[in-house]
Amino acid sequence: MKLILSLFQGIGMLDNGFTENGFCVVAAPEKLLSGDIRNFKGMIGKFDGIIGGSPCQDFSLLNRTPKGNSIEMLWHFCRIVNECKPNWFLLENVLQVPTVAIDGYHVQRFNLSPNDLGFEQSRNRTFQFGSLDGMILNVFDFKKSDTKQRIVLASEGKKQDRRKFDDFCKLQGFNTTPELDSFTRSAKYQAVGNGVHLGVSYVIAKAIWDVATSTNPKTIHNTKVCVCGCGRITTNKKKSATDACRKRLQKNRERALFQYNSIRDGKA
């Protein structure tokens, strides 16, 4: 059984896919559990992987008054990875999140929406999979859904036209509504809305399990992949897998890397 550390756990929606795929998940202290990630010190050699969705508010295009917390928490995610030196890590965030760069890790950056996997929810998120061995995740061979529902947002609980909480949870992949009895109405929507769709977490966790347990995994050393960094496999003389990849490559050139070693105290 592979042991992984979960950061910024929330109500465990990203964790769920990993436990269902055979991983053993332990959580670092965080605000929801009356802890503080700033005080957590990692230990080398204890974890096979680290997962987490660091706070995204400051990176969102909807936020007009960023406060700096998101960049600080992103720094702490990178710090803990650097301290623990796991075989791999997975970071989830909004599309505008900086690309992380941690010494020794090759990073595969890709966007994935539940809609891409056949679900009705069309909430696109960015995932960054870093590995010491340059492993490649294959999360692209699925049939996209023809039906889209209005995007799930953490703020929906405060809106008059909010959907019923049961329906809101179903759009995030729940078969049964989670019991959050101690939460206020808006806090319930926020907790579920901030989480990773359960179907997405399952697919990514399975892809990581498959490549991490394979005797001959696909890596950047034995497989030709798209130059944009998404991890899609290319053939013949093609450098980019799709038109979207070519556009993303240009954005990648313009996007500043989040260099862990050049950051101190959570500030650039």
Side-chain angles (χ1 to χ4, degrees), residues 28-100:
E30 61 150 320
K31 186 175 181 180
L32 189 64
L33 302 176
S34 300
D36 193 334
I37 199 73
R38 299 176 182 88
N39 300 326
F40 182 83
K41 303 298 181 184
M43 295 182 65
I44 194 168
K46 296 296 183 181
F47 303 104
D48 293 288
I50 292 178
I51 64 174
S54 60
C56 63
Q57 288 81 4
D58 289 350
F59 304 134
S60 173
L61 294 177
L62 299 176
N63 189 351
R64 304 298 183 185
T65 57
K67 299 178 180 178
N69 181 63
S70 295
I71 201 74
E72 181 187 359
M73 293 300 105
L74 183 60
W75 182 84
H76 280 291
F77 181 93
C78 295
R79 171 185 64 80
I80 293 169
V81 169
N82 191 59
E83 290 173 352
C84 294
K85 291 291 191 300
N87 294 327
W88 56 266
F89 68 82
L90 179 74
L91 173 68
E92 178 268 343
N93 212 286
V94 295
L95 305 187
Q96 295 77 27
V97 66
T99 297
V100 298

Coordinates of all heavy atoms in Angstrom, one line a residue, residues 28-100:
A28 N -2.2 16.4 6.6 CA -1.5 17.4 7.4 C -2.5 18.4 8.1 O -3.6 18.5 7.6 CB -0.6 18.2 6.5
P29 N -2.1 19.0 9.2 CA -3.0 19.9 9.9 C -3.3 21.1 9.0 O -2.5 21.6 8.3 CB -2.2 20.3 11.1 CG -0.8 20.1 10.8 CD -0.8 18.9 9.9
E30 N -4.6 21.5 9.0 CA -5.0 22.7 8.3 C -6.1 23.4 9.0 O -6.5 23.0 10.1 CB -5.5 22.3 6.9 CG -6.7 21.4 6.9 CD -7.5 21.6 5.7 OE1 -7.7 22.7 5.2 OE2 -8.0 20.6 5.2
K31 N -6.4 24.6 8.5 CA -7.4 25.5 9.2 C -8.7 24.8 9.5 O -9.2 25.0 10.6 CB -7.6 26.7 8.3 CG -8.5 27.8 8.9 CD -8.6 29.0 8.0 CE -9.4 30.1 8.7 NZ -9.5 31.3 7.8
L32 N -9.2 24.0 8.6 CA -10.5 23.3 8.8 C -10.4 22.4 10.0 O -11.4 22.1 10.7 CB -10.9 22.5 7.5 CG -12.3 22.0 7.5 CD1 -13.4 23.1 7.6 CD2 -12.6 21.1 6.3
L33 N -9.2 21.8 10.2 CA -9.0 20.9 11.4 C -8.4 21.6 12.5 O -7.8 21.0 13.4 CB -8.2 19.7 10.9 CG -8.7 18.9 9.7 CD1 -7.7 17.9 9.3 CD2 -10.0 18.3 10.0
S34 N -8.5 22.9 12.6 CA -7.9 23.7 13.7 C -6.4 23.6 13.7 O -5.8 23.7 14.8 CB -8.5 23.3 15.0 OG -9.9 23.5 15.0
G35 N -5.8 23.4 12.6 CA -4.3 23.4 12.5 C -3.8 24.5 11.7 O -4.5 25.3 11.2
D36 N -2.5 24.5 11.4 CA -1.8 25.5 10.6 C -0.7 24.9 9.8 O 0.2 24.3 10.3 CB -1.3 26.6 11.5 CG -0.9 27.9 10.6 OD1 -0.6 27.7 9.4 OD2 -0.9 29.0 11.2
I37 N -0.9 24.9 8.4 CA 0.1 24.2 7.6 C 1.4 24.9 7.7 O 2.5 24.3 7.4 CB -0.4 24.3 6.1 CG1 0.3 23.3 5.2 CG2 -0.3 25.7 5.5 CD1 -0.2 21.9 5.4
R38 N 1.5 26.1 8.2 CA 2.8 26.8 8.3 C 3.7 26.1 9.3 O 4.9 26.2 9.3 CB 2.5 28.3 8.8 CG 1.8 29.1 7.8 CD 1.5 30.5 8.4 NE 0.7 31.4 7.5 CZ -0.6 31.4 7.5 NH1 -1.3 30.6 8.4 NH2 -1.3 32.2 6.7
N39 N 3.1 25.4 10.3 CA 3.8 24.8 11.4 C 4.2 23.3 11.0 O 4.9 22.7 11.8 CB 3.0 24.8 12.7 CG 2.7 26.2 13.1 OD1 3.5 27.1 12.9 ND2 1.5 26.4 13.7
F40 N 3.7 22.8 9.9 CA 4.0 21.4 9.6 C 5.4 21.3 9.0 O 5.8 22.0 8.1 CB 3.0 21.0 8.5 CG 3.1 19.5 8.2 CD1 2.6 18.5 9.0 CD2 3.9 19.1 7.0 CE1 2.8 17.2 8.6 CE2 4.0 17.8 6.7 CZ 3.5 16.8 7.5
K41 N 6.1 20.4 9.5 CA 7.5 20.1 9.0 C 7.5 18.7 8.4 O 7.2 17.7 9.1 CB 8.5 20.2 10.2 CG 8.5 21.5 10.9 CD 8.9 22.7 9.9 CE 8.9 24.0 10.7 NZ 9.2 25.1 9.7
G42 N 7.9 18.6 7.2 CA 8.0 17.3 6.5 C 9.2 16.5 6.9 O 10.2 17.0 7.3
M43 N 9.1 15.2 6.7 CA 10.2 14.3 6.9 C 10.5 13.5 5.7 O 9.6 12.9 5.0 CB 9.8 13.3 8.1 CG 9.6 14.0 9.4 SD 9.2 12.8 10.7 CE 10.8 11.9 10.8
I44 N 11.8 13.4 5.3 CA 12.2 12.8 4.1 C 12.0 11.3 4.1 O 12.2 10.7 5.2 CB 13.6 13.2 3.8 CG1 14.0 12.8 2.3 CG2 14.6 12.5 4.7 CD1 15.3 13.4 1.9
G45 N 11.5 10.7 3.0 CA 11.4 9.3 2.9 C 10.2 8.6 3.5 O 10.1 7.4 3.5
K46 N 9.2 9.4 4.0 CA 8.0 8.9 4.6 C 6.9 8.7 3.7 O 6.0 7.8 3.9 CB 7.6 9.8 5.8 CG 8.6 9.9 6.9 CD 8.8 8.6 7.6 CE 9.8 8.8 8.8 NZ 10.0 7.5 9.5
F47 N 6.8 9.5 2.6 CA 5.6 9.4 1.7 C 6.0 9.1 0.3 O 7.0 9.6 -0.2 CB 4.9 10.8 1.8 CG 4.5 11.2 3.2 CD1 5.2 12.2 3.9 CD2 3.4 10.6 3.8 CE1 4.8 12.5 5.1 CE2 3.0 10.9 5.1 CZ 3.7 11.9 5.8
D48 N 5.2 8.3 -0.3 CA 5.3 8.0 -1.8 C 4.9 9.2 -2.6 O 5.5 9.5 -3.7 CB 4.5 6.8 -2.2 CG 5.1 5.5 -1.5 OD1 6.1 5.1 -2.0 OD2 4.4 5.0 -0.6
G49 N 3.9 9.9 -2.1 CA 3.3 11.1 -2.9 C 2.7 12.1 -2.0 O 2.4 11.8 -0.8
I50 N 2.5 13.3 -2.5 CA 1.9 14.4 -1.8 C 0.8 15.0 -2.7 O 1.1 15.2 -3.9 CB 2.9 15.5 -1.4 CG1 3.8 14.9 -0.3 CG2 2.1 16.7 -0.8 CD1 4.9 15.9 0.2
I51 N -0.4 15.2 -2.2 CA -1.5 15.7 -3.0 C -2.1 16.9 -2.3 O -1.9 17.1 -1.1 CB -2.6 14.7 -3.3 CG1 -3.3 14.3 -2.0 CG2 -2.0 13.5 -4.0 CD1 -4.5 13.4 -2.2
G52 N -2.7 17.8 -3.0 CA -3.4 18.9 -2.4 C -3.8 20.0 -3.4 O -3.3 20.1 -4.5
G53 N -4.9 20.7 -3.0 CA -5.4 21.8 -3.7 C -5.2 23.1 -2.9 O -6.0 23.4 -2.1
S54 N -4.1 23.8 -3.1 CA -3.8 25.0 -2.3 C -4.8 26.1 -2.6 O -5.5 26.1 -3.7 CB -2.4 25.5 -2.6 OG -2.2 25.8 -3.9
P55 N -5.1 27.0 -1.7 CA -6.0 28.1 -1.9 C -5.8 28.8 -3.2 O -4.7 29.1 -3.6 CB -5.8 29.0 -0.7 CG -5.3 28.1 0.4 CD -4.4 27.1 -0.3
C56 N -6.9 29.1 -3.9 CA -6.8 29.6 -5.3 C -7.4 31.0 -5.4 O -7.3 31.6 -6.5 CB -7.6 28.7 -6.2 SG -9.4 28.6 -5.9
Q57 N -7.9 31.6 -4.4 CA -8.7 32.9 -4.5 C -7.9 34.0 -5.2 O -8.4 34.7 -6.0 CB -9.2 33.3 -3.1 CG -10.3 32.5 -2.6 CD -9.8 31.2 -1.9 OE1 -8.6 31.0 -1.8 NE2 -10.7 30.4 -1.4
D58 N -6.6 34.1 -4.8 CA -5.8 35.2 -5.4 C -5.5 35.0 -6.8 O -5.2 36.0 -7.6 CB -4.5 35.4 -4.6 CG -4.7 35.9 -3.2 OD1 -5.9 36.4 -2.9 OD2 -3.8 35.9 -2.4
F59 N -5.5 33.8 -7.3 CA -5.2 33.5 -8.7 C -6.4 33.6 -9.6 O -6.3 33.6 -10.8 CB -4.6 32.0 -8.8 CG -3.4 31.8 -8.0 CD1 -3.3 30.6 -7.2 CD2 -2.4 32.7 -7.9 CE1 -2.2 30.4 -6.4 CE2 -1.3 32.5 -7.1 CZ -1.2 31.3 -6.4
S60 N -7.6 33.6 -9.0 CA -8.8 33.6 -9.8 C -9.0 35.0 -10.5 O -8.8 36.0 -9.9 CB -10.0 33.3 -8.9 OG -11.3 33.5 -9.6
L61 N -9.5 35.0 -11.7 CA -9.8 36.2 -12.4 C -11.0 37.0 -11.8 O -11.1 38.2 -12.1 CB -10.1 35.9 -13.9 CG -8.9 35.3 -14.7 CD1 -9.4 35.0 -16.1 CD2 -7.8 36.2 -14.8
L62 N -11.8 36.3 -11.0 CA -12.9 36.9 -10.4 C -12.5 37.7 -9.2 O -13.3 38.6 -8.7 CB -13.9 35.8 -10.0 CG -14.5 35.0 -11.1 CD1 -15.4 33.9 -10.5 CD2 -15.3 35.8 -12.1
N63 N -11.3 37.5 -8.7 CA -10.9 38.2 -7.5 C -10.2 39.5 -7.9 O -9.1 39.5 -8.5 CB -9.9 37.3 -6.7 CG -9.6 37.9 -5.3 OD1 -9.9 39.0 -5.0 ND2 -8.9 37.1 -4.5
R64 N -10.7 40.7 -7.5 CA -10.2 42.0 -7.8 C -9.3 42.5 -6.7 O -8.5 43.5 -6.9 CB -11.3 43.0 -8.0 CG -12.3 42.6 -9.1 CD -11.7 42.5 -10.4 NE -12.6 42.2 -11.5 CZ -12.3 41.9 -12.7 NH1 -11.1 41.9 -13.1 NH2 -13.3 41.6 -13.6
T65 N -9.3 41.8 -5.5 CA -8.4 42.3 -4.4 C -7.6 41.1 -3.8 O -7.9 40.7 -2.7 CB -9.3 42.9 -3.3 OG1 -10.3 42.0 -2.9 CG2 -10.0 44.2 -3.8
P66 N -6.6 40.6 -4.5 CA -5.8 39.5 -3.9 C -5.1 40.0 -2.7 O -4.6 41.1 -2.6 CB -4.8 39.2 -5.1 CG -4.8 40.5 -5.9 CD -6.2 41.0 -5.8
K67 N -5.0 39.0 -1.7 CA -4.4 39.4 -0.4 C -3.0 38.7 -0.2 O -2.4 38.9 0.8 CB -5.4 38.9 0.7 CG -6.7 39.7 0.6 CD -7.6 39.2 1.7 CE -9.0 40.0 1.6 NZ -9.9 39.5 2.7
G68 N -2.6 37.8 -1.1 CA -1.3 37.2 -1.0 C -1.3 35.8 -0.3 O -0.3 35.2 -0.3
N69 N -2.5 35.4 0.2 CA -2.5 34.1 0.9 C -2.3 33.0 0.0 O -1.6 32.0 0.4 CB -3.9 33.9 1.6 CG -4.0 32.6 2.4 OD1 -3.2 32.4 3.3 ND2 -4.9 31.8 2.0
S70 N -2.8 33.1 -1.2 CA -2.6 31.9 -2.2 C -1.2 31.7 -2.5 O -0.8 30.5 -2.6 CB -3.5 32.2 -3.4 OG -4.8 32.2 -3.2
I71 N -0.4 32.7 -2.8 CA 1.0 32.5 -3.1 C 1.8 32.0 -1.9 O 2.7 31.2 -2.1 CB 1.6 33.9 -3.7 CG1 2.9 33.6 -4.5 CG2 1.9 34.8 -2.6 CD1 2.6 33.0 -5.8
E72 N 1.4 32.4 -0.7 CA 2.0 31.9 0.5 C 1.8 30.4 0.7 O 2.7 29.6 1.0 CB 1.6 32.7 1.7 CG 2.3 32.2 3.0 CD 1.7 32.8 4.3 OE1 0.8 33.7 4.2 OE2 2.2 32.5 5.4
M73 N 0.5 30.0 0.5 CA 0.2 28.6 0.7 C 0.8 27.8 -0.5 O 1.1 26.6 -0.2 CB -1.4 28.5 0.7 CG -2.0 29.1 1.9 SD -1.4 28.4 3.5 CE -0.4 29.7 4.1
L74 N 0.9 28.3 -1.7 CA 1.6 27.6 -2.7 C 3.0 27.4 -2.4 O 3.6 26.3 -2.6 CB 1.4 28.4 -4.0 CG 2.1 27.8 -5.3 CD1 1.4 26.4 -5.6 CD2 1.9 28.7 -6.5
W75 N 3.6 28.4 -1.8 CA 5.0 28.2 -1.3 C 5.1 27.1 -0.3 O 6.1 26.3 -0.3 CB 5.5 29.5 -0.7 CG 6.9 29.5 -0.3 CD1 8.0 29.6 -1.0 CD2 7.4 29.2 1.1 NE1 9.2 29.5 -0.2 CE2 8.8 29.2 1.0 CE3 6.7 29.0 2.3 CZ2 9.6 29.0 2.2 CZ3 7.5 28.7 3.4 CH2 8.9 28.7 3.4
H76 N 4.2 27.0 0.7 CA 4.2 26.0 1.7 C 4.0 24.6 1.1 O 4.6 23.6 1.5 CB 3.2 26.3 2.8 CG 3.6 27.3 3.8 ND1 4.7 27.1 4.7 CD2 3.2 28.6 4.0 CE1 4.9 28.2 5.4 NE2 4.0 29.1 5.0
F77 N 3.2 24.5 0.1 CA 3.0 23.2 -0.6 C 4.4 22.8 -1.2 O 4.8 21.7 -1.0 CB 2.0 23.3 -1.8 CG 1.8 22.1 -2.5 CD1 0.8 21.2 -2.2 CD2 2.6 21.7 -3.6 CE1 0.6 20.0 -2.8 CE2 2.4 20.5 -4.3 CZ 1.4 19.7 -3.9
C78 N 5.1 23.7 -1.9 CA 6.4 23.4 -2.5 C 7.4 23.1 -1.4 O 8.2 22.2 -1.5 CB 6.8 24.6 -3.3 SG 5.8 24.9 -4.8
R79 N 7.3 23.9 -0.3 CA 8.3 23.6 0.8 C 8.1 22.2 1.4 O 9.2 21.5 1.6 CB 8.0 24.7 2.0 CG 8.8 24.4 3.3 CD 8.4 25.3 4.4 NE 7.0 25.2 4.8 CZ 6.5 24.2 5.6 NH1 7.4 23.3 6.1 NH2 5.3 24.2 6.0
I80 N 6.9 21.8 1.6 CA 6.7 20.4 2.1 C 7.1 19.4 1.2 O 7.7 18.3 1.6 CB 5.2 20.3 2.6 CG1 4.9 21.2 3.8 CG2 4.9 18.8 3.0 CD1 3.5 21.4 4.1
V81 N 6.9 19.6 -0.1 CA 7.4 18.6 -1.1 C 8.9 18.5 -1.1 O 9.5 17.5 -1.1 CB 6.9 19.0 -2.5 CG1 7.7 18.2 -3.6 CG2 5.4 18.8 -2.7
N82 N 9.5 19.7 -1.0 CA 11.0 19.8 -0.9 C 11.5 19.1 0.3 O 12.6 18.4 0.3 CB 11.5 21.2 -1.0 CG 12.9 21.3 -1.2 OD1 13.5 20.9 -2.2 ND2 13.6 22.0 -0.3
E83 N 10.8 19.2 1.5 CA 11.3 18.6 2.7 C 11.1 17.1 2.7 O 11.9 16.3 3.2 CB 10.5 19.2 3.9 CG 10.9 20.7 4.2 CD 10.0 21.3 5.2 OE1 9.0 20.7 5.6 OE2 10.3 22.4 5.6
C84 N 9.9 16.6 2.1 CA 9.6 15.2 2.2 C 10.2 14.4 1.0 O 10.4 13.2 1.2 CB 8.1 15.0 2.1 SG 7.2 15.7 3.6
K85 N 10.5 15.1 -0.1 CA 11.1 14.4 -1.3 C 10.3 13.1 -1.6 O 10.9 12.0 -1.8 CB 12.6 14.0 -1.0 CG 13.5 15.2 -0.9 CD 13.7 15.9 -2.2 CE 14.8 16.9 -2.2 NZ 14.6 18.0 -1.2
P86 N 9.0 13.2 -1.9 CA 8.3 12.0 -2.3 C 8.6 11.7 -3.8 O 9.3 12.5 -4.5 CB 6.8 12.5 -2.2 CG 6.9 14.0 -2.5 CD 8.2 14.4 -1.8
N87 N 8.2 10.5 -4.2 CA 8.4 10.1 -5.6 C 7.7 11.1 -6.6 O 8.1 11.3 -7.7 CB 8.0 8.7 -5.8 CG 8.9 7.7 -5.1 OD1 10.1 8.0 -4.9 ND2 8.3 6.6 -4.6
W88 N 6.5 11.6 -6.1 CA 5.7 12.4 -7.0 C 4.8 13.3 -6.1 O 4.6 13.1 -4.9 CB 4.8 11.5 -7.9 CG 3.9 10.5 -7.1 CD1 4.2 9.2 -6.9 CD2 2.6 10.7 -6.6 NE1 3.2 8.6 -6.2 CE2 2.2 9.5 -6.0 CE3 1.8 11.8 -6.5 CZ2 1.0 9.4 -5.3 CZ3 0.6 11.7 -5.8 CH2 0.2 10.5 -5.3
F89 N 4.2 14.3 -6.8 CA 3.2 15.2 -6.1 C 2.2 15.6 -7.1 O 2.4 15.5 -8.3 CB 3.9 16.4 -5.5 CG 4.4 17.4 -6.5 CD1 3.6 18.3 -7.2 CD2 5.8 17.4 -6.8 CE1 4.1 19.3 -8.1 CE2 6.3 18.3 -7.7 CZ 5.5 19.2 -8.4
L90 N 1.0 15.9 -6.6 CA -0.1 16.4 -7.4 C -0.7 17.7 -6.8 O -1.1 17.7 -5.7 CB -1.2 15.3 -7.5 CG -2.4 15.8 -8.4 CD1 -2.1 15.8 -9.9 CD2 -3.6 14.9 -8.1
L91 N -0.7 18.8 -7.6 CA -1.2 20.0 -7.2 C -2.4 20.4 -8.0 O -2.3 20.4 -9.2 CB -0.2 21.1 -7.3 CG -0.6 22.6 -7.0 CD1 -1.0 22.8 -5.5 CD2 0.5 23.6 -7.4
E92 N -3.5 20.7 -7.4 CA -4.8 21.1 -8.1 C -5.0 22.6 -7.8 O -4.9 23.1 -6.6 CB -5.9 20.3 -7.6 CG -7.3 20.7 -8.2 CD -8.1 21.7 -7.4 OE1 -7.7 21.8 -6.2 OE2 -9.0 22.3 -7.9
N93 N -5.5 23.4 -8.8 CA -5.8 24.8 -8.6 C -6.5 25.3 -9.8 O -6.9 24.5 -10.7 CB -4.5 25.6 -8.4 CG -4.6 26.7 -7.5 OD1 -5.2 27.8 -7.8 ND2 -4.1 26.6 -6.2
V94 N -6.7 26.6 -9.8 CA -7.4 27.2 -11.0 C -6.5 27.4 -12.2 O -5.3 27.2 -12.0 CB -8.0 28.6 -10.6 CG1 -9.1 28.5 -9.5 CG2 -6.9 29.6 -10.1
L95 N -7.0 27.7 -13.3 CA -6.2 27.7 -14.6 C -5.1 28.8 -14.5 O -4.1 28.6 -15.2 CB -7.1 28.1 -15.8 CG -8.3 27.2 -16.0 CD1 -9.0 27.5 -17.3 CD2 -7.9 25.7 -15.9
Q96 N -5.2 29.8 -13.7 CA -4.3 30.9 -13.7 C -3.1 30.7 -12.7 O -2.2 31.5 -12.5 CB -4.9 32.2 -13.3 CG -5.9 32.7 -14.4 CD -7.3 32.0 -14.3 OE1 -7.7 31.5 -13.3 NE2 -8.0 31.9 -15.4
V97 N -3.1 29.5 -12.0 CA -2.0 29.2 -11.0 C -0.7 29.2 -11.7 O -0.5 28.7 -12.8 CB -2.3 27.9 -10.3 CG1 -2.2 26.7 -11.3 CG2 -1.4 27.7 -9.2
P98 N 0.4 29.8 -11.1 CA 1.7 29.7 -11.7 C 2.2 28.2 -11.8 O 1.7 27.4 -11.0 CB 2.6 30.4 -10.7 CG 1.6 31.3 -9.9 CD 0.3 30.6 -9.8
T99 N 3.0 28.0 -12.7 CA 3.6 26.6 -12.8 C 4.7 26.5 -11.8 O 5.6 27.3 -11.7 CB 4.2 26.4 -14.2 OG1 3.2 26.5 -15.2 CG2 4.9 25.1 -14.4
V100 N 4.6 25.4 -11.0 CA 5.6 25.3 -9.9 C 6.9 24.6 -10.5 O 6.8 23.8 -11.5 CB 5.1 24.4 -8.8 CG1 3.9 25.1 -8.1 CG2 4.7 23.0 -9.2

